[in-house]
Amino acid sequence: MSANKAELPVLRIALLGAGVVGSEVARLLKDNEEDFAARVGAKFELVGVAVRDAKKDRAGIPANLITTDAEKLLDDNIDVVIELMGGIEPAKYLILRALKNGSSIVTANKALLAKYGAEIFAAAEANDADVYYEAAVAGAIPLLRPLRESLVGDKVRRILGIVNGTTNFILTKMDEEGSDYTEVLKEAQALGYAETDPTADVEGHDAAAKAAILASLAFHTRVTIDDVYCEGISKVTAADIKAAKDMGFVVKLLAVAELSDDEKGVVVRVHPAMVPKSHPLASVRLSFNAVFVEADAAGQVMFYGRGAGGAPTASAVLGDLVAVSRNKVSGRRGPGESVYAELAPLPISAAKTRYSINLKVADQPGVLATIANTFAKHDVSIQVVRQDGHGDAAFLLVRTHLATDKALSQTLAELKSLSAVSEVVGVMRVEGSAN
Ligand code: NAP
Ligand code: HSE
């Protein structure tokens, strides 16, 4: 930090990455520089912007700021580094280097934090620096700071969220237009919602990284992406969506993190699930995100807004920039990583959930009893059973009460082996039901 003529100290800022989010951060930094100075009590000086390709047109960013030498930029007496390159390397190396230099970090890099958060937070602690990452989960929605600060006096039991806009866009279109997954994926790609390689979004990896970050904060426990059970939406069919719709449900890709009954463990999972139309998450459409938090004293709290996009994500990045800069100006640090609870990350088999199972069955006396017995044998209680069709096209739709995922998957395995069941047409977990 240095003082300038206007008497406000100057904070030297380095930006790593000027893509979808970084270019918006650079624009907003310039457009709002006077407000930032007033809010922080220091002037921001953007010292350099590191990119991969120096020849690309960067409207709004002075050419003399562009560099491909990120290391040299970081070593130039920087107060705050904003990392918006994404990916694991070189982002990890550069963040660790910046921390060693004493710079504070603002990042949106969920993939990096969900895998190597421990190393990065330890380096921040060792170097008395901040690492803020509000934009890493649910874009513009203020969510991590409320969990870390506003709800820190409460006991969070469960988080249920839609944290990936691409998959929510696809599932919304499938629900509202009756279209097939592949058809809507192409539309999402044409509109720029889904990437050319959509794997990280559609297979749930992006949501799993966000779920790990949310769970770590909510349960004061280190949860990495490797602890998260992950199933994407690429196998969800138009028939699954229609069956859900007929029963008064919508299909959403959910990130769920919950405390076990004995409060010694936490299960974190990402998978498609049927949500009742009356649940607030059911009305979250298109690329919007929403996160539902259940805490002992607060009850249910919901956060909603834009989870992606250049400007919305830049809003969260700049909020963090102001926060870490205020800390710099006052010579203190924000709260570091809190992992004192050391809960055990539990496998999916320990999760408590409900299944909805669609079976093609023989339409004969005794079939329903055999199927019901199979559920009973595994201590799984049936909530609703309905027959559709008859003769060679008879289907039983069974929705269960709450049971462990282990009991539900054992029931399913046994159902598959019954001669009365000719095909398991669809299986989906059900979340957000009252009973
Ligand atoms: P992006 O559009 O792909 O931009 C990445 C930027 O980083 C580009 O400017 C690129 O340079 C630069 N870069 C990449 N590798 C580099 C390297 N090895 N050396 C120097 N520069 C390098 O990415 P983005 O969408 O802005 O995402 C940035 C971060 O924000 C990611 O962590 C992402 O997960 C997170 N995020 C994004 C969104 C969103 O809506 N996009 C929402 C929430 C969080 P070139 O321009 O020269 O290629
Ligand atoms: N690809 C993500 C989404 C945005 O579709 O929500 C970045 O986290």
Side-chain angles (χ1 to χ4, degrees):
M1 227 187 309
S2 55
N4 76 356
K5 280 187 221 151
E7 287 165 18
L8 282 179
V10 171
L11 286 171
R12 292 169 62 78
I13 313 294
L15 180 58
L16 306 183
V20 174
V21 185
S23 58
E24 284 298 301
V25 166
R27 179 181 70 80
L28 291 164
L29 264 177
K30 181 82 197 128
D31 287 357
N32 302 315
E33 64 184 348
E34 284 177 18
D35 285 323
F36 285 132
R39 290 172 197 177
V40 172
K43 284 193 168 191
F44 291 151
E45 181 188 350
L46 184 59
V47 180
V49 180
V51 294
R52 206 168 14 200
D53 178 359
K55 294 198 183 86
K56 263 191 209 170
D57 186 28
R58 316 268 174 190
I61 303 179
N64 65 317
L65 294 186
I66 298 290
T67 176
T68 53
D69 193 342
E71 287 188 58
K72 190 169 168 211
L73 172 61
L74 295 185
D75 293 347
D76 191 13
N77 195 22
I78 301 296
D79 293 294
V80 184
V81 173
I82 305 175
E83 185 277 306
L84 294 169
M85 290 175 14
I88 305 296
E89 292 293 1
K92 176 170 170 254
Y93 168 79
L94 294 171
I95 285 178
L96 291 173
R97 184 177 182 113
L99 287 169
K100 212 168 172 191
N101 289 341
S103 313
S104 283
I105 307 292
V106 174
T107 178
N109 196 332
K110 73 223 86 163
L112 178 61
L113 293 174
K115 182 90 180 164
Y116 297 105
E119 202 176 330
I120 287 165
F121 295 125
E125 192 73 38
N127 293 288
D128 205 20
D130 280 329
V131 175
Y132 276 41
Y133 49 100
E134 182 66 65
V137 184
I141 307 173
L143 176 61
L144 304 190
R145 198 162 300 127
L147 278 174
R148 190 163 57 180
E149 295 177 15
S150 321
L151 287 166
V152 73
D154 208 331
K155 181 168 201 146
V156 175
R157 295 219 165 251
R158 191 159 196 255
I159 293 180
L160 197 65
I162 295 168
V163 292
N164 184 272
T166 305
T167 47
N168 203 48
F169 176 87
I170 294 172
L171 292 172
T172 305
K173 288 275 178 177
M174 286 175 78
D175 180 77
E176 293 179 2
E177 294 168 9
S179 328
D180 268 332
Y181 167 77
T182 31
E183 196 182 315
V184 187
L185 174 60
K186 275 190 203 139
E187 185 189 344
Q189 283 169 321
L191 289 170
Y193 285 114
E195 306 211 7
T196 317
D197 176 0
T199 312
D201 290 320
V202 299
E203 296 307 341
H205 308 154
D206 173 78
K210 293 167 177 169
I213 293 171
L214 287 175
S216 301
L217 279 173
F219 301 116
H220 301 270
T221 286
R222 189 169 293 133
V223 178
T224 74
I225 191 164
D226 301 324
D227 300 317
V228 182
Y229 171 82
C230 180
E231 234 181 81
I233 64 158
S234 59
K235 294 191 181 71
V236 176
T237 63
D240 291 330
I241 306 253
K242 184 175 180 311
K245 205 171 182 174
D246 289 347
M247 290 184 279
F249 289 79
V250 290
V251 175
K252 296 288 183 193
L253 181 73
L254 292 186
V256 186
E258 57 203 344
L259 202 55
S260 60
D261 289 347
D262 65 5
E263 301 188 4
K264 290 185 179 150
V266 58
V267 186
V268 189
R269 52 193 165 105
V270 167
H271 53 71
M274 284 168 38
V275 177
K277 276 196 180 130
S278 55
H279 193 281
L281 287 177
S283 51
V284 177
R285 296 176 64 248
L286 300 171
S287 64
F288 280 87
N289 283 193
V291 176
F292 208 70
V293 179
E294 296 175 14
D296 278 0
Q300 298 177 328
V301 183
M302 183 153 139
F303 300 84
Y304 171 85
R306 293 210 173 272
T313 310
S315 164
V317 169
L318 291 165
D320 278 354
L321 176 65
V322 168
V324 301
S325 301
R326 283 175 174 159
N327 292 345
K328 283 260 175 202
V329 168
S330 58
R332 56 188 168 87
R333 276 183 72 207
E337 191 190 26
S338 170
V339 289
Y340 74 91
E342 293 182 351
L343 303 178
L346 301 174
I348 182 71
S349 54
K352 288 249 184 95
T353 182
R354 300 168 177 82
Y355 275 17
S356 172
I357 304 175
N358 188 359
L359 304 168
K360 188 169 186 210
V361 295
D363 195 7
Q364 288 161 4
V367 165
L368 183 56
T370 309
I371 288 171
N373 273 337
T374 307
F375 280 88
K377 190 173 148 191
H378 294 283
D379 211 17
V380 174
S381 170
I382 293 173
Q383 184 191 19
V384 178
V385 63
R386 190 182 89 191
Q387 177 168 342
D388 281 348
H390 58 271
D392 289 342
F395 296 89
L396 277 183
L397 281 157
V398 183
R399 203 160 68 242
T400 73
H401 280 296
L402 213 53
T404 62
D405 205 89
K406 184 178 179 186
L408 288 162
S409 62
Q410 284 172 344
T411 309
L412 187 62
E414 193 168 329
L415 287 171
K416 284 179 180 166
S417 72
L418 296 179
S419 59
V421 174
S422 48
E423 189 188 344
V424 176
V425 183
V427 182
M428 198 164 297
R429 294 183 180 84
V430 182
E431 296 292 334
S433 306
N435 46 32

